[in-house]
Amino acid sequence: GLAQRLELPDAAATARPAPPLRPVPRQGELPLSFAQQRLWFLDQLEPGTASYNVPDRLRLRGALDVTALERSLNEVVRRHEVLRTTFPTVDGRPAQAITPAPALALPLIDLQHLPGAEREAEAARLAAEEAARPFDLARGPLGRATLLRLAPEEHVVLLTLHHIVCDEWSSGVVVQEVAALYQAFTAGRPSPLAELPIQYADYACWQRSWLQGEVLEEQLTYWKQQLAGLVPLELPADHPRPAVPGFQGGYQAFALPPALLDGLRDLCRREGATLFMALLAGFQALLGRYSGQDDIAVGSPVANRNRAETEGLIGFFVNTLVLRSDLSGDPSFRELVRRTREAALGAYAHQDVPFDMVVDALQPARDLSRTPLFQVMLVLQNTPARALELPGLVLRGEPVYSGAAKFDLTMTLVETEQGLAGTLEYRRDLYDAATIARLAGHFQALLEGAVADPGQAISGLPLLTEGERRQFALWNDSAAAAPASTIHGLFEAQARRTPEAIALACGSEQVGYRELNRRANQLAHHLQRQGVAPKALIGLCVERSVAGIVALLGILKAGGAYVPLDPAYPAERLAFMCDDAKLGLIVTQARLAARLPATARPIAIDEGWGAIAGESGDDPESTSGPDDLAYVIYTSGSTGRPKGVLVVHRGVSNLTHAIIRLFELAEGSRVLQFASLSFDASVTEVFGALAAGATLCLGRGEGLPSLDELHTLLRDEAISVVTLPPSLLALLPAEGLPALRIVISAGEACTWEIVRRWGVGRRFLNGYGPTEASVSVSFHEARADEAAPGGVPIGRPIANVQAHVLDAHGQPLPVGVAGELYAGGAGVARGYLNRPELTAERFVEVPESLLSTRPPTGCPPTVPLTGGDRRRV
């Protein structure tokens, strides 16, 4: 029949036998069932809502006898007292008031005058309008029927009942009885249906008298133990959770193929589980992968008709069970099905206690933004709607959606001959339609992986669809020409191309490329005479100045790697870095030498320049190559002890080629050197400019300027390219800077307000990169007129770099799901200085097969990745 039967446990599963269910006298006040009382209370809190309407839509094809149909509906109302019941308030409490059988009207709306497509659209509009029309519980009636005529032999019945008098099973009972009565009445026969031995009001009285005392305590004890310590499910959402949910719902249909359904059934037979248990295991595994949690609670309705007397009744019997799943220890899917089976059987054995009593007993923390105990529901209907053949008429149920969402997310599955038909109902104030569509695809991918290999750990089950794998591969197809070189080699090549171009501007001082290269060469030869060995770590403690850039280049040309020591750092921090890096030599300025530990020998580039100037100005013979260290920059230490990050020339060379193209750097560009040399953003400023023939502007060399001074500097120096943190861009005026054509945001999360201020008439790029990579992993070019939810994206990987968002088990995650950002390819550092254990933990080899994406041509089969922050990207 058309009864939407939820998958049920055996009636014998209840904990202890219940007394017989018998009729009760109709004199006196009749109580509500526990479930009815909950809905009455919710209606008092939010009167006039249609959230608990139960709409049905029945299509009738053939010659319809409208009188017989109306008579059949009225007979169903007469037979079932609950359809004639209202719920007035008596002394502040709800009561049942049963009225004599009213004459139920069946209004007819004729749509035949409309063209075909408009007819169906109008029928759908009327169905949605009817489903959204609220009921008055105190006055009633709590059921409505409307007949739409689309053609002489095509009609649609819109039947809407309030949940307080029916459930999904009841809807099936209504249709079955109407069909039987219609068949009899059109043939001139009386009703073939026997009178009901009991009514729903009898069940309500029976429930109240039985579910108390020891019986109730036994069931509540189980739920208190089973659900103790439960925490809310935190699924990634598209929108911030509002303080009070709106319940405006969206609806997404999907289908799981017959082969997958057959595979699940085979798995269930082997494990002694029901199909619902396997689907629940898969759904909870999916929710665990999405949320990163291993304690997952899902709500699920049970028909709660464990007695034969209730099977033919219309009424609100359904109860909601909270099914808690333990995903700890990363079990196999087979093991998870077994755990789910045990949890489900325990819940079935204690299903009689109403959900609201469980909530009252557990007293979870009050949170109006979400439903208590669970926020996600799973429903399996294992008796799909079928067409009914009536005299001269075919009746078929059609899906109808009320537009309301009671929970964050509800997945409903129906067994059909074509597999499993599914729908996802979701709160639109939390999720976008595209997100829900992706979730449906991930559910199918996970189940297919589980059927193929039930022994696979749930962390290894696939989530990505084939289309997503192709998209991720496309996003990471970043291969581009970037000849391997040392970074000072790039500068030397540019000095040969444009020797007279201005390389540095610092106040009134300007230095050309030939002159800068000559001074750096002199320092390099001097350092080599001082015993600087190839690949040695050399400290660099200088203020912003031409001498500072000469010192940086000189260290690299001498074959060393520079370790920047910000003179503004506390003495303790400088001492730690010098000791950790085992620095024997520090290039500095005379006035800063006293701040440095005595363990390292200082070379004052200013006072000692007389001796340095006697050295050769020719390029020294290179003793370093692309795979040697270029610099060691220490992390801030905000998450623990500062760590020195070992960055090689190849990565910085690749970065430099990428940003020259991306920032359109060339001779004539004027780049502000704003970042401290101890902050890796300085690398893009210094080497992006000096490898492109641009001018690197150092300001006036007296530390960081004020906001007014910075704005004046940008204007007077005609800066065309600047990199600044969003917190500074938020305070700095964006107007009055006619030369500025590119703004790069880096170091912090960027907001769209900043883009709209700074992106008018110029390019705005948002970059991201951990210190463990060569400064920048990715960039996103944002437009001032671009509208997007959340913060400004961090963009796609730069040339020859890959980026993946992985979970705690190293598996790729879908778009929108929070994980850890990993960067791989040419930009990855070598590791941490003197921290082999941490290097082994954070710099890992991830097989391409695990990522399920094809790397760019020429990349190795395994990609070294380094983790950044756990964040949604």
Side-chain angles (χ1 to χ4, degrees):
L2 290 177
Q4 302 296 295
R5 295 174 179 265
L6 305 175
E7 187 166 291
L8 297 173
D10 192 291
T14 49
R16 66 170 65 192
L21 202 168
R22 295 191 176 96
V24 299
R26 290 299 184 263
Q27 294 80 22
E29 187 177 308
L30 292 172
L32 280 64
S33 70
F34 292 119
Q36 286 180 322
Q37 183 171 300
R38 172 170 64 92
L39 286 193
W40 177 87
F41 179 72
L42 292 174
D43 186 74
Q44 301 303 299
L45 289 177
E46 191 179 358
T49 178
S51 297
Y52 289 94
N53 285 6
V54 180
D56 276 305
R57 176 171 161 164
L58 307 174
R59 187 170 292 262
L60 308 171
R61 285 195 169 94
L64 175 64
D65 184 334
V66 176
T67 302
L69 177 61
E70 187 174 48
R71 182 182 170 194
S72 300
L73 287 168
N74 274 283
E75 175 60 13
V76 172
V77 173
R78 186 201 66 79
R79 285 170 50 77
H80 295 271
E81 286 181 347
V82 73
L83 298 179
R84 298 184 270 118
T85 301
T86 56
F87 301 89
T89 302
V90 178
D91 297 330
R93 295 181 294 108
Q96 293 198 58
I98 302 171
T99 63
L104 176 67
L106 182 61
L108 173 64
I109 300 176
D110 197 333
L111 303 178
Q112 294 181 95
H113 63 285
L114 297 173
E118 291 183 27
R119 236 183 340 230
E120 289 294 342
E122 179 63 8
R125 187 192 69 78
L126 290 171
E129 183 180 88
E130 169 58 31
R133 193 152 59 98
F135 289 99
D136 185 334
L137 298 190
R139 299 178 60 186
L142 300 183
R144 297 187 296 263
T146 303
L147 182 63
L148 308 180
R149 178 170 289 161
L150 281 69
E153 294 195 353
E154 185 166 5
H155 296 77
V156 171
V157 177
L158 305 178
L159 181 63
T160 309
L161 302 173
H162 193 279
H163 205 354
I164 202 168
V165 298
C166 80
D167 52 22
E168 288 293 326
W169 183 300
S170 300
S171 297
V173 173
V174 171
V175 173
Q176 293 280 8
E177 291 198 354
V178 167
L181 291 164
Y182 179 86
Q183 189 167 0
F185 293 162
T186 54
R189 298 192 302 270
S191 169
L193 305 176
E195 289 298 313
L196 297 167
I198 62 167
Q199 294 283 342
Y200 185 82
D202 302 316
Y203 165 79
C205 292
W206 170 88
Q207 184 193 50
R208 291 275 181 176
S209 64
W210 173 60
L211 201 56
Q212 57 182 318
E214 291 184 5
V215 173
L216 179 60
E217 188 58 35
E218 177 186 300
Q219 295 224 12
L220 285 177
T221 298
Y222 167 82
W223 288 111
K224 288 178 183 178
Q225 294 172 348
Q226 178 67 12
L227 302 181
L230 192 63
V231 297
L233 179 65
E234 297 289 352
L235 292 179
D238 297 299
H239 310 286
R241 180 177 292 275
V244 178
F247 299 113
Q248 291 296 312
Y251 185 83
Q252 175 75 45
F254 66 99
L256 302 179
L260 176 54
L261 178 56
D262 292 341
L264 287 168
R265 285 171 173 157
D266 289 342
L267 174 62
C268 291
R269 280 192 290 270
R270 293 193 299 271
E271 299 303 322
T274 65
L275 177 62
F276 173 78
M277 294 170 185
L279 291 168
L280 177 61
F283 191 43
Q284 291 180 314
L286 177 70
L287 297 175
R289 295 280 293 278
Y290 262 54
S291 66
Q293 298 170 251
D294 58 16
D295 184 5
I296 307 293
V298 170
S300 188
V302 287
N304 205 28
R305 296 177 185 245
N306 293 330
R307 308 184 63 83
E309 306 98 303
T310 62
E311 289 191 2
L313 283 183
I314 294 172
F316 185 15
F317 293 89
V318 68
N319 192 19
T320 301
L321 302 182
V322 183
L323 302 173
R324 189 177 190 177
S325 186
D326 176 15
L327 277 60
S328 63
D330 195 19
S332 68
F333 187 76
R334 179 182 289 111
E335 171 60 24
L336 181 59
V337 170
R338 292 170 183 168
R339 294 183 187 182
T340 303
R341 178 181 181 276
E342 293 305 311
L345 289 177
Y348 292 154
H350 300 85
Q351 67 176 287
D352 294 297
V353 61
F355 173 74
D356 291 274
M357 283 190 171
V358 175
V359 175
D360 289 342
L362 284 164
Q363 291 291 305
R366 184 174 174 81
D367 183 355
L368 295 179
S369 70
R370 65 185 85 222
T371 52
L373 301 185
F374 72 92
Q375 294 78 50
V376 175
M377 176 170 275
L378 177 66
V379 183
L380 174 63
Q381 298 174 352
N382 56 12
T383 303
R386 296 185 179 90
L388 288 179
E389 298 286 344
L390 301 175
L393 197 65
V394 176
L395 184 153
R396 183 185 298 276
E398 295 182 337
V400 59
Y401 179 53
S402 68
K406 302 179 186 69
F407 306 103
D408 291 2
L409 183 68
T410 298
M411 178 181 285
T412 301
L413 297 163
V414 183
E415 291 184 65
T416 72
E417 295 179 356
Q418 292 75 41
L420 284 166
T423 58
L424 283 163
E425 179 186 271
Y426 59 94
R427 279 177 49 187
R428 287 192 291 152
D429 57 2
L430 291 177
Y431 303 108
D432 294 334
T435 298
I436 301 302
R438 285 196 301 268
L439 184 144
H442 301 151
F443 183 57
Q444 178 174 340
L446 184 144
L447 288 178
E448 287 175 340
V451 166
D453 183 9
Q456 171 78 276
I458 58 173
S459 67
L461 294 175
L463 285 187
L464 304 183
T465 64
E466 182 60 33
E468 286 175 318
R469 287 193 289 270
R470 288 195 300 269
Q471 181 65 72
F472 288 3
L474 179 63
W475 285 339
N476 277 296
D477 188 5
S478 59
S485 171
T486 60
I487 48 177
H488 56 279
L490 296 179
F491 164 70
E492 290 172 351
Q494 185 61 43
R496 290 191 292 270
R497 287 192 294 269
T498 57
E500 303 305 324
I502 301 301
L504 299 179
C506 185
S508 60
E509 183 180 7
Q510 293 188 336
V511 180
Y513 271 83
R514 177 189 288 116
E515 176 62 17
L516 177 59
N517 191 45
R518 184 182 68 81
R519 295 186 196 180
N521 288 339
Q522 291 173 323
L523 177 59
H525 287 296
H526 180 75
L527 292 175
Q528 288 176 339
R529 289 185 185 278
Q530 298 298 312
V532 171
K535 305 177 180 57
L537 299 184
I538 307 298
L540 177 62
C541 185
V542 291
E543 293 177 334
R544 193 185 313 272
S545 61
V546 169
I549 302 301
V550 170
L552 187 155
L553 290 170
I555 291 171
L556 295 172
K557 285 171 169 280
Y562 71 93
V563 181
L565 305 167
D566 193 323
Y569 281 169
E572 296 80 5
R573 165 93 182 212
L574 293 173
F576 164 77
M577 295 166 66
C578 291
D579 179 67
D580 188 62
K582 306 291 190 296
L583 298 180
L585 193 67
I586 299 177
V587 179
T588 185
Q589 292 159 305
R591 61 183 174 277
L592 303 176
R595 295 182 49 78
L596 300 174
T599 54
R601 178 164 60 96
I603 292 182
I605 192 173
D606 46 0
E607 287 187 355
W609 188 255
I612 298 170
E615 300 286 354
S616 169
D618 295 336
D619 294 337
E621 183 178 350
S622 179
T623 59
S624 56
D627 294 316
D628 290 324
L629 285 183
Y631 61 79
V632 176
I633 283 184
Y634 276 78
T635 61
S636 65
S638 59
T639 58
R641 184 161 62 98
K643 304 176 289 291
V645 179
L646 307 167
V647 180
V648 299
H649 284 270
R650 183 185 299 274
V652 185
S653 173
N654 180 77
L655 170 72
T656 303
H657 282 288
I659 63 172
I660 286 174
R661 289 191 294 264
L662 190 60
F663 299 171
E664 300 174 340
L665 296 175
E667 187 176 355
S669 298
R670 294 180 65 82
V671 180
L672 180 65
Q673 204 267 291
F674 177 81
S676 162
L677 294 180
S678 293
F679 179 46
D680 61 359
S682 64
V683 174
T684 60
E685 295 170 339
V686 172
F687 293 105
L690 298 183
T695 299
L696 184 66
C697 300
L698 306 177
R700 292 168 179 80
E702 296 107 3
L704 289 177
S706 67
L707 286 174
D708 289 341
E709 291 170 339
L710 177 58
H711 190 271
T712 300
L713 177 64
L714 292 171
R715 183 194 64 208
D716 293 352
E717 294 291 332
I719 300 298
S720 60
V721 180
V722 67
T723 301
L724 296 172
S727 55
L728 187 51
L729 289 170
L731 301 174
L732 191 66
E735 301 78 20
L737 303 171
L740 187 61
R741 61 183 182 83
I742 295 183
V743 176
I744 301 104
S745 164
E748 303 161 354
C750 185
T751 66
W752 286 105
E753 180 184 0
I754 293 173
V755 177
R756 285 188 284 271
R757 287 185 58 215
W758 285 92
V760 177
R762 55 176 74 103
R763 294 175 64 203
F764 188 99
L765 296 164
N766 188 42
Y768 172 78
T771 309
E772 289 81 358
S774 300
V775 188
S776 295
V777 168
S778 62
F779 283 99
H780 173 75
E781 183 161 356
R783 302 190 314 272
D785 61 350
E786 191 174 353
V792 182
I794 63 172
R796 294 189 183 185
I798 64 171
N800 303 308
V801 171
Q802 295 83 52
H804 298 277
V805 180
L806 307 181
D807 64 17
H809 299 277
Q811 286 286 349
L813 288 168
V815 169
V817 178
E820 194 166 14
L821 180 61
Y822 285 72
V828 178
R830 181 182 292 174
Y832 295 115
L833 177 65
N834 302 324
R835 305 286 292 276
E837 299 83 3
L838 191 59
T839 297
E841 175 188 333
R842 303 302 294 165
F843 290 77
V844 297
E845 292 280 330
V846 178
E848 181 267 329
S849 59
L850 186 64
L851 295 173
S852 302
T853 56
R854 183 175 297 113
T857 303
C859 283
T862 59
V863 184
L865 303 172
T866 178
D869 299 325
R870 180 176 172 84
R871 61 184 66 199
R872 184 182 177 199
V873 295

